[in-house]
Amino acid sequence: MEKNLQDLIEQVPYKVKLVVKDCAEPNQFLFTKDIDDVFSSASLIKVPILVAVLEFLENKNESIHQIVKIAEENRVDFSVLSELEVSEASLYELLVWMIITSDNTATNVLIDFWGMENLNHYFKKIGLKNTTIQRKMMDFEQLEKGFDNLTTAREMAFLFEAIYRQDLLSKKSSELASDILSRQRIQDSLKRYIADDVKVAHKTGSLETVEHDIGIFFSKKRPYIIGVFVTDHTNTEEAKSFIGKLSKIVYDHFSKEA
């Protein structure tokens, strides 16, 4: 597996970060590449937001079904909530839309719900030293000023492993996070070349020159985590195909394992 992954990575001109972990082996990596490089998270930032909001509700003993107003300044294009023109939604609905369709309006509302500063504080508290929110979704004005949302492959892998192992949240909230991530509707990267009906709890991230996908493959033989993070590409479909090819190599490896 390692040689096949390395050979494929060496064929592409863009920057690649990669992490592969066996869920049965905590704190160990099967394959890594540049896992501590800080890069633009794109919509991957929505995963720590998901965990942070669930943590907040647990600690405050508040309902996930409470209704939250959708402020006009949080509405952005290419959003289910914006298209529906709803003025409010439950926290549960916001979390689901934020993940399964990567809804940016829902994300902006959730950032305001707890506050950007509080979210960043929580990220640091749980060990995400390089994962940070510096702008809301679709705020390209802030992006042009150099304020971007950032993360690393190692920290994203840590987060998904914590969801799998139920280390950060209660069993109920961990299972909810995994369930929401498993309902992901964007399936053209990690699952691109996998025909089997395998459950995957994952999240994508995409910007003009950025393409990411990371998640937990609940393989029947050995569950594992894979994250592929591509930056500085010039063709979105080629980048997604590349992620899919790496993922297929890893999936075939784990499918053969006893």
Side-chain angles (χ1 to χ4, degrees), residues 45 47-56 59 114 118-132 151 154-160 162-163 167-169:
I45 200 67
V47 181
I49 293 174
L50 168 68
V51 173
V53 172
L54 291 176
E55 166 81 3
F56 173 88
N59 286 342
W114 198 1
N118 290 329
L119 287 167
N120 283 324
H121 177 75
Y122 174 76
F123 298 165
K124 300 299 179 288
K125 185 182 79 169
I126 64 174
L128 305 180
K129 297 180 180 180
N130 296 295
T131 299
T132 183
T151 193
R154 184 190 296 274
E155 293 183 1
M156 279 291 116
F158 163 81
L159 199 57
F160 274 86
I163 291 172
D167 289 339
L168 290 174
L169 303 170

Side-chain angles (χ1 to χ4, degrees), residues 81-96:
L81 293 175
S82 294
E83 291 175 6
L84 292 174
E85 298 183 345
V86 293
S87 60
E88 59 184 27
S90 71
L91 286 175
Y92 175 76
E93 291 172 313
L94 293 169
L95 291 170
V96 169

Side-chain angles (χ1 to χ4, degrees), residues 1-2 4-6 8 244-254:
M1 178 184 74
E2 291 85 352
N4 290 336
L5 292 173
Q6 191 62 50
L8 186 56
K245 290 173 183 176
L246 289 175
S247 179
K248 185 65 164 59
I249 291 170
V250 175
Y251 181 77
D252 288 346
H253 170 79
F254 276 94

Side-chain angles (χ1 to χ4, degrees), residues 204-218:
T204 59
S206 183
L207 289 170
E208 187 175 357
T209 61
V210 169
E211 204 64 48
H212 310 314
D213 203 353
I214 179 171
I216 308 160
F217 273 71
F218 292 89

Side-chain angles (χ1 to χ4, degrees), residues 12 15 49 73 93 115 128 165 191 228 238 245 251 255 257:
V12 298
K15 295 179 181 177
I49 293 174
E73 62 266 22
E93 291 172 313
L128 305 180
R165 295 190 173 280
K191 291 187 71 178
V228 187
E238 283 185 7
K245 290 173 183 176
Y251 181 77
S255 297
E257 290 289 330

